[in-house]
Amino acid sequence: YDKVEPKPALEPPCPSSDVAKNKVPNHYSYAKLSHEKIAAIRAKATTAGKDINLDYAQPSDLYPESFPHFVRGRDSAREYITKLFTSRIAFYDGAMGTMIQNFSKKNKLEEEEYRGEHFKDWKCNVKGNNDMLSMTRPDVISGIYKQYLEIGGSDMIGTNTFSSTTIAMADYEMEDYAYELNYEGARLARLACDEVTAADPSRPRFVVGAIGPTNRTGSISPSVEDPSVRNVTFDELVETYFEQAVGLVDGGSDILMVETIFDTLNAKAALYAVGEYLEFSGLDIPVFVSGTLVDQSGRTLSGQTGEAFYASIRHAKPMCVGLNCALGAQHMVPFVEKLAKCVECFMHVYSNAGLPNAMGGYDETPEMMAEYNKVFFEKGWLNMVGGCCGSTPPHIKAIRECAQNFSPRPLPAVGRPKMWLSGLEDLVVDDVHNHLGLPFLNVGERCNIAGSIKFKKLMMKGDYGSAMDIAKAQVEDGAHVIDINVDDGMLDGLAAMQKFVKIAVTEPEVCKVPFMLDASKFEIVMAGLKWCQGKPIVNSISLKVGEKLFKEQATLLKKHGAAVVVMAFDENGQAAEEDEKVRICKRSYDMLVDEVGFPPEDIIFDPNVLTIGTGMEEHNDYGIDFINATKRIKEQCPYVKISGGISNLSFGFRGVTKIRESIHAVFLHHAILESGMDVGIVNAKEMLAIDDLEEDMKILCENLVFNKDPDSTDEMLERTAYERACIDARKKGLPPPRKPRGKMINRPRVQFDYDKVEPKPALEPPCPSSDVAKNKVPNHYSYAKLSHEKIAAIRAKATTAGKDINLDYAQPSDLYPESFPHFVRGRDSAREYITKLFTSRIAFYDGAMGTMIQNFSKKNKLEEEEYRGEHFKDWKCNVKGNNDMLSMTRPDVISGIYKQYLEIGGSDMIGTNTFSSTTIAMADYEMEDYAYELNYEGARLARLACDEVTAADPSRPRFVVGAIGPTNRTGSISPSVEDPSVRNVTFDELVETYFEQAVGLVDGGSDILMVETIFDTLNAKAALYAVGEYLEFSGLDIPVFVSGTLVDQSGRTLSGQTGEAFYASIRHAKPMCVGLNCALGAQHMVPFVEKLAKCVECFMHVYSNAGLPNAMGGYDETPEMMAEYNKVFFEKGWLNMVGGCCGSTPPHIKAIRECAQNFSPRPLPAVGRPKMWLSGLEDLVVDDVHNHLGLPFLNVGERCNIAGSIKFKKLMMKGDYGSAMDIAKAQVEDGAHVIDINVDDGMLDGLAAMQKFVKIAVTEPEVCKVPFMLDASKFEIVMAGLKWCQGKPIVNSISLKVGEKLFKEQATLLKKHGAAVVVMAFDENGQAAEEDEKVRICKRSYDMLVDEVGFPPEDIIFDPNVLTIGTGMEEHNDYGIDFINATKRIKEQCPYVKISGGISNLSFGFRGVTKIRESIHAVFLHHAILESGMDVGIVNAKEMLA
């Protein structure tokens, strides 16, 4: 759109109203205008009750239809004036005041004549009030009108209403007569024009309603002491001008002229009022605007240049703009020339007859004045000409005769629209280059409370004078626009914004540039806007307030002519990622341009410059997302600008300007020159050009901005620390510190034969290690024969005990055909069937049970009585809301819902109505004892429904999914704000409740178990542990699905994990299908589903909400909308199963099914080399790690180990866990990938200390974002810590020194919990010191773990014992080389394992001298890692040397 050539203009820019665009003729029948505001003005007017004429329509056949004839009510004045002004120069009248003065020289026109009969007893002198002569001496005024028409030959005459406003009339105490004065002034002109037109219909004459400037100014203080004082407000001006417009139009005006503008703010108020009048009346009346440049400076009284004046009022789409008064024609030449080069509409001049003489008179003769005007005609600058002070009908006649042989000014060609701002001077944003040569608008940030501490302090003190100095300095330093933001909770923002702007507009060095009015509250920017004579930018509006208010705000800003910053926010929050930025901006654009009619060139989108380098992975792409979004938005939204608060980008590096401005330089260089960014809030003085950056700094910044390197944040933090140290050194007169080494090149990992195997296609998802699962043994479904004591005990204590309940769901083997897609329970393997189903098509789950129950209750009685039913009619507490119990009390309702999902929705699988059927959740209703029965009944009803529907079409068997909800308690989150170590549930309690639920669900006939709506992964791990125990005790193979819940657009669970970390934490349980549900709508889940789809090894599902909840807690997405939002999942091939959660119903599932049915399911990812995959809040693939020195090595931080840190030990002894967390945080900052936690000490209760430390640590995001290593000499202590870890940690350690039996028991338990394990090179005979012993013990341990326990080899870390060298004992001298050699041999013989060691042991004989110790470690690690494949070490990352 930038390359389109300008086209000839056929008309001036047109107002956006339909009547204007369609040239709808004014009906001139004003009696029928009924808007309440117009009616109120007429009702309070002095004409009220009088029979005045309001109808000026003419018979349509009064004059011929062809131009140049004109008939009111038939012809469009806009169309007529366009033809007139393009065919010849038109003629306006001359001075009314001069003619009245001339009349008074020959006729008596004193106080008595001014008063007339009507005002003979008026309370004050009125002589000089020329406008009132329209009432008291209409003969005089009519005579003057007619002279201009007949002698002057004027095509248009201005009404005698220059001062007919309530404000100006206050000088004569005649405010009440404002309407009547305007009415009469226009009526007399109407009569005169009609009389002259009747004499020659080929030259119709028009009445121009004259709207003068009033005698007060919005931009200028009447006080020399206080520049913030004003004697009129914008709203008062609007009110007075609106009344004037009503009177002028009611009197018969054809055109409205806002004239003699010496303060553009007054003109803006007048144009706003006229705009409101035209909107309320539904009329199209052309508007002319005439400015006054008071002297040879070429500026208005309020300081604006002519171009700035035009830029300030052009939003009102005047049909004609020009200059009048103050100067003679010869003095106006340079200013008219400048205006003629930029004005897009028609142009006029009506100058004075020279400058006033000593007596206040004007000496130019008609011939002289005509001669001085001639240059305008010769240059082709005008479409209309007239005269102002000192001019008379003969002057107009002479000018007319001079002009009649010249052509009018052609309208300029219409090119690409541009943003045209103004202060005292104009600024075309599209043509700007900043001081660095970039096509970029610098918006100065220092008059923003959030951007300058100094400014904030001054505003708090009320020191506006010094605040102005900050503003001036910004302009001097290169700011094109000044951002003004006074948002602060301790400040009256409304008052402060107004005072600042009112003072600023009186400071030429400040207000020569446009302003950006910036506030979080719309009323504050509006208050500031009403004191701006120029065209400012308003920052900001957005869709977060909803469409209705967004459009209202935009409409108001359009009326005021402001440009606007539109933030990339909507009702769901801030856009962080690229697609969201583009989507919200495009949605906003379409609304603004298509519905509001907002000029696209006046829209500035701010797609949110967000902070990079925070340490949170999801923030890493914020820079590149902004840059990419910028280009896409500008491609999709023609003519808009893109802006951003640049300081946000580097907020994490505040305090070091060099770092911040370097980041900005790289970001802006690419955002501006490659993507078209136009505007930014910056500190212009500090800005750097990209070529000014040191090469290494440039690389660091590019890595950070473009997220080229996962370590870029850490590297920039290191450089920041160095630059800060340089600042401190300069202050102290010290030499600069050593520059950091910068980015280390990642060294390759040692490759073994098993590392070189190519990935193979997956035929099934990862399978549990039980024989029944591996061999796909069908579930027998004959549960009565399950006799394990724990299962039997649950049945025995259940409320069903003694009842004859069905526990057998096996079907005859010949019930249905043996071939897929048929399925018979007891004959076929559910695992095998689901694999076939999920690889052949996308399967369909059900929707929301709760929504359906709510919907049922809207049409049927479902109150406390119905919830209780007969069984619970005397229950001790209220139970309404306990939806799960309806399986017992209203089975008809639940069965009905099941069947609707199966029959209408077409679900392949339905979840049981058991979301809260745990003893823990049922405690809310004192129904813990009913947990088993609730699960049994919920599953049984689903079983019956599925079997009934399957029987109708056996080729589509339906399955029961036993739903295991999250409970209402969380293992990872403290319910206490005071004590983060408090919990209201333990892991073992969760396991117990989930085990009972599993028994009930399977006994009721479930085919599959689903652990769902996981907002705390620790709860899910407990559920999976319980399900695992149940499957082990029962000997069954039942597929398990797992569904996580990411609570908002952060893409994290309530307990803080990313989707990838959540999966890494539960994948040990070998779920058959994993996915997301609840909390978000499908469109909000897209980026998170995409990330999961890239890493999940099993099948994947989504069952989203039907959008986000509305204000009433309901969901607004229709079935069609929900299906459309889910479509991206099918198009991208990310899913194997889809359904719905909150707000979804059978029609929603049906629509999703119809949308999905033509798409293929997600293929299982290829099976490659197994890798160790740990997690904290974030996931960590150990095999892919490189440390801060570029080594393929996992740094395990040693400082939270009592044996590794005296400081930590003292803190633990004191119980100062808060300070201990600071040590943990520091390790992560210093490069630890994993935190080792060891509280072994004889003086400490290790069991209690380990649990408390872990429980607190998992609530500290900067600590628990990394995985933990739980380290203790007693196995029960690491187990206690493990049960509070939602992530996947490492347990350190087990070994054969406890004997084979206990070793395997411990390993089996860790496998069930999903922990990785450190295995020490110890056996029953002691510690391995020499190479061969290290290898022998590790190989023996490996074979036992992998072959007998089934422990994943990739989750084994061998520690072959780093022992101390340099002790002076000869037998110790080979300990280092023995470890290095053993490492390689162990990795060769034990595929996929890791090798670790406590590195500090190596140099223990040199303790106290860190440099020596770390030098020894550097050499040892270099060879152990790069030559032998060592993977892991317990180290002090901060001290490590390359």
Side-chain angles (χ1 to χ4, degrees):
Y1 52 83
D2 289 321
K3 300 168 187 173
V4 178
E5 290 296 313
K7 297 178 181 177
L10 303 178
E11 62 178 344
C14 185
S16 58
S17 68
D18 288 338
V19 287
K21 287 189 287 189
N22 297 318
K23 314 296 185 294
V24 177
N26 178 353
H27 52 67
Y28 282 89
S29 300
Y30 302 134
K32 64 185 180 184
L33 298 182
S34 59
H35 189 278
E36 58 184 357
K37 196 165 179 188
I38 296 171
I41 284 168
R42 291 172 176 169
K44 74 178 180 65
T46 49
T47 56
K50 297 179 184 177
D51 184 19
I52 62 171
N53 179 39
L54 295 176
D55 187 357
Y56 302 94
Q58 295 173 309
S60 62
D61 58 354
L62 180 62
Y63 301 128
E65 290 192 15
S66 59
F67 180 83
H69 300 90
F70 181 85
V71 171
R72 292 194 297 277
R74 182 191 73 187
D75 300 323
S76 159
R78 181 172 302 281
E79 204 163 32
Y80 186 92
I81 291 165
T82 299
K83 290 177 181 175
L84 175 64
F85 281 15
T86 52
S87 60
R88 67 174 173 86
I89 296 172
F91 305 103
Y92 196 41
D93 63 5
M96 176 61 73
T98 298
M99 291 296 287
I100 291 171
Q101 285 177 342
N102 290 349
F103 178 88
S104 69
K105 292 174 184 174
K106 301 175 183 177
N107 305 275
K108 187 168 183 263
L109 199 58
E110 301 297 332
E111 180 72 22
E112 181 182 351
E113 285 70 34
Y114 271 86
R115 288 172 178 259
E117 184 61 29
H118 193 93
F119 296 99
K120 66 179 181 180
D121 299 321
W122 198 247
K123 46 200 150 184
C124 65
N125 289 337
V126 293
K127 184 183 176 186
N129 183 358
N130 290 345
D131 292 15
M132 74 184 292
L133 294 175
S134 299
M135 292 177 63
T136 59
R137 288 300 302 272
D139 57 314
V140 173
I141 303 305
S142 293
I144 294 169
Y145 286 153
K146 288 191 68 176
Q147 288 182 68
Y148 278 117
L149 293 165
E150 293 173 340
I151 298 170
S154 299
D155 296 294
M156 305 172 186
I157 57 171
T159 56
N160 179 38
T161 54
F162 186 81
S163 300
S164 294
T165 56
T166 51
I167 290 173
M169 282 297 139
D171 288 353
Y172 303 101
E173 302 182 43
M174 293 181 69
E175 298 96 315
D176 292 345
Y177 283 85
Y179 171 87
E180 188 169 0
L181 290 169
N182 285 287
Y183 174 84
E184 288 297 330
R187 185 183 66 82
L188 296 176
R190 175 80 283 149
L191 292 171
C193 283
D194 287 357
E195 184 180 337
V196 175
T197 300
D200 181 5
S202 69
R203 275 202 68 201
R205 311 303 174 97
F206 294 88
V207 177
V208 178
I211 298 174
T214 82
N215 52 1
R216 299 190 180 186
T217 59
S219 298
I220 302 169
S221 172
S223 167
V224 293
E225 290 83 17
D226 187 351
S228 70
V229 170
R230 296 293 186 276
N231 56 14
V232 71
T233 68
F234 186 88
D235 292 339
E236 289 168 347
L237 287 165
V238 169
E239 186 179 356
T240 197
Y241 283 130
F242 188 91
E243 181 171 358
Q244 185 168 31
V246 176
L248 288 169
V249 176
D250 279 1
S253 297
D254 303 294
I255 297 161
L256 293 173
M257 166 89 87
V258 180
E259 69 164 347
T260 320
I261 300 161
F262 50 83
D263 180 351
T264 312
L265 186 55
N266 286 39
K268 286 173 70 178
L271 291 167
Y272 184 90
V274 168
E276 293 293 274
Y277 173 78
L278 296 178
E279 180 182 334
F280 298 161
S281 65
L283 300 174
D284 176 31
I285 297 177
V287 177
F288 294 2
V289 182
S290 196
T292 297
L293 308 181
V294 294
D295 55 31
Q296 289 297 95
S297 69
R299 292 178 181 263
T300 62
L301 186 65
S302 55
Q304 280 196 316
T305 64
E307 300 94 307
F309 143 71
Y310 175 65
S312 305
I313 56 88
R314 63 188 278 271
H315 65 276
K317 299 291 191 290
M319 206 172 173
C320 188
V321 165
L323 300 176
N324 76 292
C325 205
L327 302 173
Q330 69 272 42
H331 312 109
M332 287 187 175
V333 172
F335 315 127
V336 175
E337 181 177 17
K338 288 178 182 176
L339 268 186
K341 288 177 179 175
C342 70
V343 165
E344 302 136 304
C345 60
F346 296 123
M347 258 193 71
H348 70 253
V349 163
Y350 52 111
S351 70
N352 288 354
L355 296 178
N357 57 32
M359 302 301 293
Y362 294 86
D363 299 327
E364 281 183 7
T365 64
E367 294 71 28
M368 290 167 65
M369 189 174 181
E371 185 61 29
Y372 289 138
N373 272 273
K374 190 175 182 181
V375 65
F376 303 144
F377 316 142
E378 291 173 331
K379 297 288 189 181
W381 289 342
L382 299 187
N383 305 90
M384 183 180 84
V385 66
C388 201
C389 303
S391 63
T392 63
H395 287 82
I396 304 304
K397 179 184 180 186
I399 292 170
R400 177 168 56 83
E401 290 171 348
C402 176
Q404 61 191 6
N405 294 322
F406 292 95
S407 297
R409 172 179 179 263
L411 288 167
V414 179
R416 175 212 193 287
K418 296 183 177 183
M419 178 181 285
W420 195 352
L421 307 176
S422 60
L424 295 186
E425 298 167 10
D426 71 313
L427 181 77
V428 179
V429 174
D430 303 71
D431 299 341
V432 162
H433 280 73
N434 74 1
H435 59 302
L436 300 179
L438 295 170
F440 185 75
L441 188 81
N442 295 342
V443 179
E445 70 180 6
R446 312 308 286 174
C447 289
N448 183 323
I449 278 182
S452 168
I453 293 292
K454 181 178 179 183
F455 181 74
K456 179 176 180 177
K457 289 178 179 176
L458 292 172
M459 293 306 293
M460 292 302 182
K461 288 194 329 190
D463 187 352
Y464 286 83
S466 299
M468 290 303 135
D469 293 337
I470 292 177
K472 289 176 194 171
Q474 288 187 89
V475 177
E476 291 167 3
D477 291 334
H480 303 111
V481 172
I482 296 295
D483 181 56
I484 303 169
N485 183 307
V486 290
D487 270 1
D488 191 273
M490 300 298 289
L491 200 61
D492 180 345
L494 206 63
M497 174 64 86
Q498 293 186 79
K499 186 166 184 177
F500 189 95
V501 174
K502 286 195 284 184
I503 296 173
V505 297
T506 69
E507 292 278 355
E509 293 308 306
V510 175
C511 67
K512 69 180 182 182
V513 302
F515 297 157
M516 176 181 277
L517 306 171
D518 187 354
S520 56
K521 295 179 180 175
F522 187 70
E523 62 267 27
I524 294 178
V525 291
M526 279 307 303
L529 180 56
K530 290 179 180 179
W531 294 113
C532 280
Q533 69 167 329
K535 179 187 180 83
I537 302 167
V538 162
N539 187 0
S540 62
I541 62 171
S542 77
L543 279 166
K544 70 180 174 184
V545 298
E547 288 190 2
K548 181 174 181 291
L549 186 54
F550 174 70
K551 288 189 280 189
E552 287 174 5
Q553 292 175 346
T555 300
L556 193 54
L557 295 177
K558 176 191 168 192
K559 290 178 179 181
H560 280 273
V564 65
V565 175
V566 181
M567 300 297 296
F569 276 79
D570 68 3
E571 301 86 343
N572 300 322
Q574 182 182 46
E577 297 183 350
E578 178 185 338
D579 288 345
E580 274 298 279
K581 294 175 190 289
V582 177
R583 181 188 67 78
I584 293 175
C585 290
K586 182 65 168 75
R587 179 186 168 208
S588 303
Y589 179 86
D590 292 343
M591 210 171 290
L592 289 169
V593 175
D594 299 338
E595 298 181 47
V596 176
F598 206 95
E601 69 272 18
D602 279 351
I603 299 170
I604 303 172
F605 281 118
D606 184 335
N608 309 316
V609 174
L610 300 175
T611 306
I612 58 175
T614 64
M616 297 179 73
E617 187 180 348
E618 59 268 32
H619 298 176
N620 292 350
D621 281 331
Y622 281 169
I624 189 63
D625 277 352
F626 184 97
I627 291 171
N628 290 343
T630 292
K631 190 168 189 178
R632 289 174 60 193
I633 293 164
K634 294 204 74 171
E635 287 169 345
Q636 295 180 34
C637 305
Y639 312 121
V640 301
K641 308 290 171 286
I642 302 291
S643 178
I646 308 304
S647 63
N648 294 346
L649 186 74
S650 62
F651 193 70
F653 304 94
R654 57 196 179 276
V656 185
T657 301
K658 180 179 176 180
I659 295 290
R660 299 191 71 181
E661 292 301 335
S662 298
I663 295 169
H664 301 168
V666 168
F667 174 80
L668 288 172
H669 177 84
H670 293 280
I672 296 166
L673 298 181
E674 294 167 14
S675 291
M677 186 180 184
D678 313 84
V679 184
I681 299 177
V682 296
N683 184 348
K685 184 178 182 180
E686 302 291 348
M687 288 176 76
L688 299 174
I690 195 166
D691 293 338
D692 295 337
L693 305 187
E694 302 155 12
E695 191 58 31
D696 60 337
M697 178 70 87
K698 183 178 173 183
I699 292 169
L700 284 171
C701 293
E702 286 179 342
N703 287 345
L704 186 69
V705 169
F706 291 99
N707 192 19
K708 291 182 175 180
D709 187 328
D711 298 324
S712 56
T713 296
D714 293 335
E715 290 163 13
M716 188 58 85
L717 287 169
E718 184 181 23
R719 182 60 177 266
T720 303
Y722 164 73
E723 296 293 347
R724 187 177 281 116
C726 287
I727 294 168
D728 292 342
R730 283 195 296 272
K731 287 178 181 177
K732 296 172 183 176
L734 299 173
R738 187 177 71 181
K739 195 172 186 178
R741 64 173 66 92
K743 175 66 180 173
M744 302 296 291
I745 297 170
N746 285 347
R747 306 293 294 270
R749 192 177 298 273
V750 176
Q751 295 285 298
F752 296 89
D753 289 342
Y754 51 81
D755 290 317
K756 300 166 187 174
V757 177
E758 289 297 313
K760 296 178 182 177
L763 302 178
E764 61 178 344
C767 185
S769 60
S770 67
D771 288 339
V772 287
K774 286 190 287 188
N775 296 316
K776 314 293 184 297
V777 176
N779 178 353
H780 51 66
Y781 283 89
S782 300
Y783 302 134
K785 64 185 180 184
L786 298 182
S787 58
H788 190 277
E789 59 183 358
K790 195 165 177 187
I791 298 172
I794 284 170
R795 291 171 176 167
K797 75 179 180 67
T799 49
T800 55
K803 296 179 183 177
D804 183 19
I805 63 170
N806 179 39
L807 295 177
D808 186 358
Y809 301 95
Q811 296 173 308
S813 62
D814 59 354
L815 180 63
Y816 302 127
E818 290 192 14
S819 59
F820 180 84
H822 301 91
F823 180 85
V824 171
R825 291 194 298 277
R827 181 192 75 187
D828 300 321
S829 161
R831 181 173 302 281
E832 203 163 31
Y833 186 92
I834 291 165
T835 299
K836 289 178 182 175
L837 175 63
F838 280 15
T839 52
S840 61
R841 68 171 173 87
I842 296 171
F844 305 102
Y845 196 42
D846 62 5
M849 175 61 73
T851 298
M852 291 295 287
I853 291 171
Q854 285 177 338
N855 291 349
F856 179 87
S857 70
K858 292 173 184 175
K859 300 175 183 176
N860 306 273
K861 189 165 181 273
L862 198 59
E863 300 298 332
E864 181 70 23
E865 181 183 351
E866 285 70 33
Y867 271 85
R868 287 172 177 261
E870 185 62 29
H871 191 95
F872 296 98
K873 66 180 180 180
D874 299 320
W875 197 248
K876 47 202 150 184
C877 65
N878 288 339
V879 294
K880 184 183 176 186
N882 183 357
N883 289 346
D884 292 14
M885 72 184 293
L886 294 174
S887 299
M888 294 177 62
T889 58
R890 287 299 302 271
D892 59 313
V893 174
I894 302 306
S895 293
I897 293 169
Y898 286 153
K899 288 192 68 177
Q900 287 182 67
Y901 278 117
L902 293 165
E903 294 174 340
I904 298 171
S907 300
D908 296 294
M909 305 173 185
I910 56 170
T912 57
N913 179 37
T914 55
F915 186 80
S916 299
S917 294
T918 57
T919 52
I920 290 172
M922 281 297 139
D924 287 351
Y925 303 99
E926 301 182 44
M927 293 180 69
E928 299 96 313
D929 293 345
Y930 284 85
Y932 172 87
E933 187 169 0
L934 289 169
N935 285 286
Y936 174 84
E937 288 297 329
R940 184 184 67 81
L941 296 176
R943 176 78 282 150
L944 292 172
C946 283
D947 287 357
E948 183 181 338
V949 175
T950 300
D953 180 5
S955 68
R956 276 201 68 200
R958 311 303 174 97
F959 294 88
V960 178
V961 178
I964 299 174
T967 83
N968 51 2
R969 299 191 179 187
T970 57
S972 298
I973 302 170
S974 173
S976 167
V977 292
E978 289 84 16
D979 186 352
S981 71
V982 170
R983 296 293 186 275
N984 56 15
V985 70
T986 68
F987 186 88
D988 292 340
E989 289 168 346
L990 288 166
V991 169
E992 184 180 356
T993 197
Y994 282 130
F995 188 91
E996 180 172 357
Q997 186 168 30
V999 175
L1001 287 169
V1002 176
D1003 280 0
S1006 297
D1007 303 293
I1008 297 160
L1009 293 174
M1010 166 88 86
V1011 180
E1012 70 166 348
T1013 320
I1014 300 161
F1015 48 82
D1016 180 352
T1017 313
L1018 185 56
N1019 286 39
K1021 286 174 70 178
L1024 291 167
Y1025 186 91
V1027 169
E1029 294 292 274
Y1030 172 79
L1031 295 178
E1032 180 182 337
F1033 299 161
S1034 64
L1036 299 175
D1037 176 30
I1038 296 177
V1040 176
F1041 294 2
V1042 182
S1043 196
T1045 296
L1046 307 181
V1047 294
D1048 56 31
Q1049 290 297 90
S1050 69
R1052 292 178 179 263
T1053 63
L1054 187 66
S1055 54
Q1057 280 196 315
T1058 64
E1060 300 93 308
F1062 142 72
Y1063 176 65
S1065 304
I1066 56 89
R1067 64 189 277 271
H1068 65 276
K1070 299 292 190 288
M1072 214 178 163
C1073 187
V1074 164
L1076 299 176
N1077 76 291
C1078 205
L1080 302 173
Q1083 67 270 44
H1084 312 108
M1085 286 187 176
V1086 171
F1088 316 127
V1089 174
E1090 181 176 19
K1091 288 177 182 177
L1092 268 186
K1094 288 176 181 175
C1095 70
V1096 164
E1097 302 137 306
C1098 59
F1099 295 123
M1100 258 192 71
H1101 70 255
V1102 162
Y1103 51 110
S1104 71
N1105 288 354
L1108 297 177
N1110 58 33
M1112 303 301 291
Y1115 294 85
D1116 299 325
E1117 280 184 10
T1118 63
E1120 295 71 27
M1121 290 166 65
M1122 191 174 180
E1124 185 62 30
Y1125 289 136
N1126 271 273
K1127 191 175 182 182
V1128 64
F1129 304 143
F1130 316 141
E1131 292 172 330
K1132 298 287 187 180
W1134 291 340
L1135 299 187
N1136 304 92
M1137 183 180 84
V1138 66
C1141 202
C1142 305
S1144 64
T1145 63
H1148 287 84
I1149 304 305
K1150 179 184 179 185
I1152 291 170
R1153 178 168 55 81
E1154 290 171 350
C1155 178
Q1157 60 192 4
N1158 294 322
F1159 292 94
S1160 298
R1162 173 180 181 262
L1164 289 167
V1167 180
R1169 175 209 194 287
K1171 296 182 177 183
M1172 178 181 286
W1173 194 353
L1174 307 177
S1175 59
L1177 295 186
E1178 297 166 12
D1179 69 314
L1180 180 77
V1181 179
V1182 174
D1183 302 72
D1184 298 340
V1185 162
H1186 279 76
N1187 75 359
H1188 59 303
L1189 301 180
L1191 297 170
F1193 185 76
L1194 188 80
N1195 295 342
V1196 178
E1198 69 180 7
R1199 312 310 287 173
C1200 290
N1201 185 322
I1202 279 181
S1205 168
I1206 294 293
K1207 181 179 179 182
F1208 181 74
K1209 179 175 181 177
K1210 288 178 178 177
L1211 292 172
M1212 293 306 293
M1213 292 302 181
K1214 287 194 330 188
D1216 186 353
Y1217 286 83
S1219 299
M1221 290 302 134
D1222 292 337
I1223 291 177
K1225 288 177 194 172
Q1227 288 187 90
V1228 177
E1229 291 166 4
D1230 292 335
H1233 303 110
V1234 172
I1235 296 294
D1236 182 56
I1237 304 169
N1238 184 309
V1239 290
D1240 269 1
D1241 192 275
M1243 302 296 290
L1244 200 62
D1245 180 346
L1247 205 63
M1250 174 63 85
Q1251 292 187 81
K1252 186 165 185 177
F1253 188 95
V1254 174
K1255 286 194 284 184
I1256 296 173
V1258 296
T1259 68
E1260 291 278 354
E1262 293 308 305
V1263 175
C1264 65
K1265 68 181 180 183
V1266 302
F1268 298 157
M1269 177 181 275
L1270 306 171
D1271 187 355
S1273 57
K1274 295 178 180 177
F1275 187 71
E1276 62 269 26
I1277 294 178
V1278 291
M1279 278 308 303
L1282 180 57
K1283 290 179 179 179
W1284 294 114
C1285 279
Q1286 69 166 329
K1288 178 186 180 84
I1290 302 167
V1291 162
N1292 187 2
S1293 63
I1294 62 173
S1295 76
L1296 280 165
K1297 70 180 176 184
V1298 297
E1300 289 191 1
K1301 182 174 180 294
L1302 185 53
F1303 175 71
K1304 288 189 283 188
E1305 287 175 3
Q1306 291 175 345
T1308 300
L1309 193 53
L1310 295 178
K1311 175 192 167 192
K1312 290 180 178 180
H1313 280 273
V1317 65
V1318 175
V1319 181
M1320 299 298 296
F1322 277 78
D1323 67 3
E1324 301 86 343
N1325 300 318
Q1327 183 183 45
E1330 297 180 351
E1331 179 184 338
D1332 288 345
E1333 276 298 281
K1334 294 176 189 289
V1335 177
R1336 182 188 65 79
I1337 293 175
C1338 290
K1339 183 63 169 77
R1340 179 186 168 206
S1341 302
Y1342 179 86
D1343 292 343
M1344 209 172 292
L1345 289 168
V1346 176
D1347 298 338
E1348 299 180 49
V1349 175
F1351 206 96
E1354 69 273 18
D1355 280 350
I1356 300 169
I1357 303 171
F1358 282 120
D1359 184 338
N1361 310 314
V1362 174
L1363 301 175
T1364 306
I1365 59 175
T1367 63
M1369 298 177 69
E1370 187 177 350
E1371 60 268 35
H1372 296 176
N1373 292 351
D1374 282 335
Y1375 281 169
I1377 190 62
D1378 278 353
F1379 184 97
I1380 291 171
N1381 292 341
T1383 292
K1384 190 168 189 178
R1385 290 173 60 192
I1386 294 165
K1387 293 204 73 170
E1388 287 170 343
Q1389 295 179 36
C1390 304
Y1392 312 122
V1393 301
K1394 308 292 173 283
I1395 303 293
S1396 177
I1399 308 304
S1400 63
N1401 294 344
L1402 187 73
S1403 62
F1404 194 69
F1406 303 94
R1407 59 192 180 279
V1409 186
T1410 300
K1411 182 177 179 181
I1412 296 292
R1413 298 191 71 182
E1414 292 301 333
S1415 299
I1416 296 169
H1417 300 168
V1419 170
F1420 173 79
L1421 288 172
H1422 178 86
H1423 294 282
I1425 296 166
L1426 299 180
E1427 295 167 12
S1428 293
M1430 184 179 183
D1431 312 84
V1432 184
I1434 300 176
V1435 295
N1436 184 347
K1438 185 177 183 180
E1439 302 292 345
M1440 288 175 77
L1441 299 175

